[in-house]
Amino acid sequence: MPPRFTPRGFLIVSSGLGLYAATVYSTYHLYRVHKLPAPAPSIRDPKHQQPHPGVFDALAPEYNAKIGWDERLMRLGARRRELIAHARGRVLEVSAGTGRNLDYYAENPAVAELTLSDASEPMLLAAYNAFVAMVKAKVPGVPTKTDFKIMDVQHLDSVPAQSYDTVVDTFGLCSCADPLAALKEMARCCAPGGKVLLLEHGTGSYDWLNSILDKTAADHAAKWACWWNRELRGLVEQAGLDVLEMKEYHLGTTLWIVATPRANDAPGAAKEGLLQKGLLQNGS
Ligand SMILES: C[S@@+](CC[C@H](N)C(=O)[O-])C[C@H]1O[C@@H](n2cnc3c(N)ncnc32)[C@H](O)[C@@H]1O
């Protein structure tokens, strides 16, 4: 009797073939990357990483469609939801792109006011359109006090110090020219005791993986204006933020961080601290 293919048998065979093809392709790709010469160590330094202005303007109309599957496979929606659940009061999101966190703000009743900002007008326009669509669809919980501002995260000059309860940045530090300056600005705009919420990606926990990121970084950046080999650990503290909670995903390449402005960095707090320790005379 000839063998019969049941739907289950067909599924098993086609999945096996798919897995085989994916393994062969990835092995070949990794081998090719492995054979590439190692770039100079400065490849990880933002000062030596070429900016790619205009890439996000061009990507904006298709951005969500292009990254949607990657985000689903990496379960980034869950990470975003869990992060935005920490937002409170007046919230500023920098480098907000197409507004991929909007759904999660709507789920969080503690968000009173929301400002979404980005340097790219087309990206922010996509965020505005997403917001309008949510309002029209009467999605419950959408913050009614929401506004949109074109702003460079490294120079939030129009934002007074300590004026937001929560400052959010998701996947923005890989794209701006100076991630430390960006973090310092976020720290400055956040009220004492407020939260800076970060979901970012950069180098991971393994040398072999970081070497692959280094070797492919320039090509990836040319396409996506994203430097995926930045060393972000440590930058948060350098910017005057204390990390309250941190989680790592995807072999350490994705960082999920809840931070707060360091008390000593608040205006007057440093002097206050020195006074308390008896290292400074009152009136000096
Ligand atoms: C990878 S996208 C992330 C978008 C969004 N935060 C998200 O989670 O999907 C990076 C965003 O950073 C923005 N960006 C790059 N440099 C910036 C800067 N200096 N100031 C503000 N936004 C910037 C880009 O326009 C882009 O929208």
Side-chain angles (χ1 to χ4, degrees):
M1 203 159 106
R4 267 184 359 127
F5 257 125
T6 60
R8 189 161 171 266
F10 181 76
L11 194 70
I12 291 171
V13 171
S14 52
S15 308
L17 284 175
L19 194 65
Y20 175 74
T23 310
V24 169
Y25 175 79
S26 324
T27 311
Y28 169 70
H29 190 64
L30 284 179
Y31 177 75
R32 277 188 48 206
V33 172
H34 171 69
K35 285 284 171 196
L36 291 173
S42 59
I43 189 80
R44 287 198 197 162
D45 182 351
K47 288 191 196 77
H48 291 89
Q49 294 175 335
Q50 191 192 332
H52 293 282
V55 166
F56 284 107
D57 291 359
L59 279 175
E62 294 168 300
Y63 185 78
N64 287 333
K66 284 195 165 174
I67 67 157
W69 267 106
D70 287 357
E71 289 225 355
R72 252 170 252 143
L73 286 173
M74 296 173 85
R75 299 203 61 239
L76 290 181
R79 311 282 87 87
R80 288 177 184 274
R81 172 175 286 122
E82 196 187 0
L83 186 77
I84 301 302
H86 288 266
R88 298 279 175 276
R90 296 192 71 214
V91 179
L92 168 67
E93 181 170 343
V94 295
S95 304
T98 56
R100 295 185 67 84
N101 295 319
L102 276 170
D103 287 347
Y104 311 114
Y105 290 117
E107 291 174 6
N108 180 347
V111 173
E113 285 176 38
L114 177 62
T115 299
L116 296 188
S117 67
D118 198 280
S120 159
E121 200 173 323
M123 290 294 274
L124 201 59
L125 180 63
Y128 174 75
N129 289 336
F131 171 76
V132 170
M134 287 172 82
V135 172
K136 277 191 184 153
K138 297 194 168 53
V139 174
V142 181
T144 42
K145 287 187 178 174
T146 298
D147 66 353
F148 298 81
K149 289 186 179 158
I150 300 289
M151 287 200 286
D152 180 341
V153 59
Q154 301 151 130
H155 307 281
L156 299 170
D157 304 336
S158 61
V159 182
Q162 305 183 349
S163 53
Y164 284 91
D165 302 302
T166 311
V167 182
V168 177
D169 187 12
T170 59
F171 304 113
L173 294 179
C174 55
S175 300
C176 61
D178 186 343
L180 181 58
L183 283 164
K184 283 183 177 172
E185 277 296 77
M186 293 181 222
R188 183 186 67 78
C189 297
C190 187
K195 300 270 165 63
V196 174
L197 308 178
L198 304 167
L199 181 60
E200 303 290 347
H201 70 127
T203 51
S205 314
Y206 300 94
D207 289 344
W208 62 265
L209 175 59
N210 295 335
S211 149
I212 291 174
L213 293 179
D214 285 343
K215 288 176 179 179
T216 51
D219 285 349
H220 180 77
K223 194 170 170 197
W224 293 100
C226 153
W227 286 93
W228 61 11
N229 63 336
R230 289 186 170 172
E231 290 176 331
L232 300 179
R233 287 175 186 74
L235 276 196
V236 178
E237 279 90 356
Q238 265 187 62
L241 292 161
D242 284 332
V243 174
L244 301 175
E245 200 181 344
M246 174 159 128
K247 298 180 201 177
E248 299 190 2
Y249 299 93
H250 313 121
L251 306 177
T253 56
T254 303
L255 299 179
W256 181 105
I257 294 172
V258 176
T260 190
R262 190 166 306 133
N264 286 346
D265 287 355
K271 188 175 171 187
E272 189 60 33
L274 292 173
L275 277 171
Q276 279 170 11
K277 286 179 190 155
L279 298 172
L280 201 68
Q281 297 294 311
N282 225 341
S284 53

